[in-house]
Amino acid sequence: MKVLFIGGTGTISMAISRKLLEQGHELYLINRGNRNAGLAVQLPGTGEWNRPKEILVDINNEEEAAKLLEGMQFDAVADFIAFRKEQLERDYRLFGGRTRQFIYISSASAYQKPATDYLITESTPLCNPYWQYSRDKTEGEDYLMKLYREEGFPITIVRPSHTFDERSVPLGVHGENGSWQVLKRMLEGKPVIIHGDGTSLWTMTHNSDFAPGFIGLLGNPHALGQAVHIMSPESMTWNQIYEVVANALGVKLNAVHISTDFLAAAGGGKYDFTGSLTGDKSNSVVFDISKLKRLVPGFAPVKSMEQGLRETVQNVLAHPELQREDPEFDAWCDRVIEARQKALDSLQQG
């Protein structure tokens, strides 16, 4: 197939890009070229190298992008970096009539919060009043579905849940620089914050398992006009997730459980835990992936959450460039934990 990705080198898309190149597809990438160099792959049995074809342009420069795309046609186009409706309006102007399939990367966070049923399917309502990011994704879906119904624009909507790769350990409560500071606290024996009581269920999917599900939708006529979520069927509690990370670090977990409401209020204007926790990670999520399996027969993630977490921890430990410290978040954690302890001391003394 001849496929174009807007982005193509992020957490979700990097594994897909590599797999498509390994399979011999013709892959085009629209991005600024900052991370494209690591995507050349050697085709099995041939010794030949398959590299993505670069269209180096800021996609927001629509006029320049249109010039570079002139005369080109694709079997599929996927936008991994569209977050708002106006970006999809731009994509429609650029790719309407130019592709047999347009894939929009939405988000499973857009599903109803709080959910009225423990099992989430693609028909679960899209209604998240807590997170603007999720509402923007929903608005984008509505826009594309309207184009499909009224003009036949060949869209497929993909809703990932929490997808991760070897570059960052996925955790619930962290600062702007990612989760390394939480791991550093564990290594130093300091307490780490787990939202709620840590017993809500969460699903994480390694990007190497996400990729086959996504590729199975490319060029799939049954996927047109459909919304499909892609993730592992496995769930773990947040307590289990943090225990796995601590074990991988070789340390004892020193967990402090703090209510999501308190964290949302304590985050103030610095950390949006109302969105990321109340509107997402504090909710138990168990996904029904039967629709994906019907569309992509044989889809079966092979990397367990524990295995993926352990491998990611080891990779981050082995690569200092991935260890982005966040002293501001570290100090915030200390203050929140101290405030909790003072409140307990005061009540116990009373």
Side-chain angles (χ1 to χ4, degrees), residues 65 116 243 304:
T116 55
E243 282 285 359
S304 69

Side-chain angles (χ1 to χ4, degrees), residues 77 79 88 91 95 99 101-104 144 153-156:
V77 171
D79 193 335
L88 293 170
D91 288 350
F95 297 105
T99 181
Q101 182 184 34
F102 180 87
I103 300 182
Y104 171 47
L144 290 176
F153 187 49
I155 64 99
T156 298

Side-chain angles (χ1 to χ4, degrees), residues 59 100 113 126 183 242 274 286:
I59 190 65
R100 293 186 176 92
K113 302 294 184 307
L126 302 182
L183 273 64
Y242 276 76
T274 298
V286 178

Side-chain angles (χ1 to χ4, degrees), residues 135-149:
R135 294 195 294 274
D136 288 342
K137 288 291 189 180
T138 299
E139 184 180 24
E141 288 197 25
D142 291 342
Y143 168 72
L144 290 176
M145 278 298 189
K146 187 172 187 292
L147 285 178
Y148 173 75
R149 289 192 301 266

Side-chain angles (χ1 to χ4, degrees), residues 115-136:
T116 55
D117 191 293
Y118 82 98
L119 189 62
I120 298 173
T121 72
E122 284 84 354
S123 61
T124 297
L126 302 182
C127 178
N128 188 338
Y130 302 105
W131 205 1
Q132 186 61 47
Y133 165 81
S134 303
R135 294 195 294 274
D136 288 342

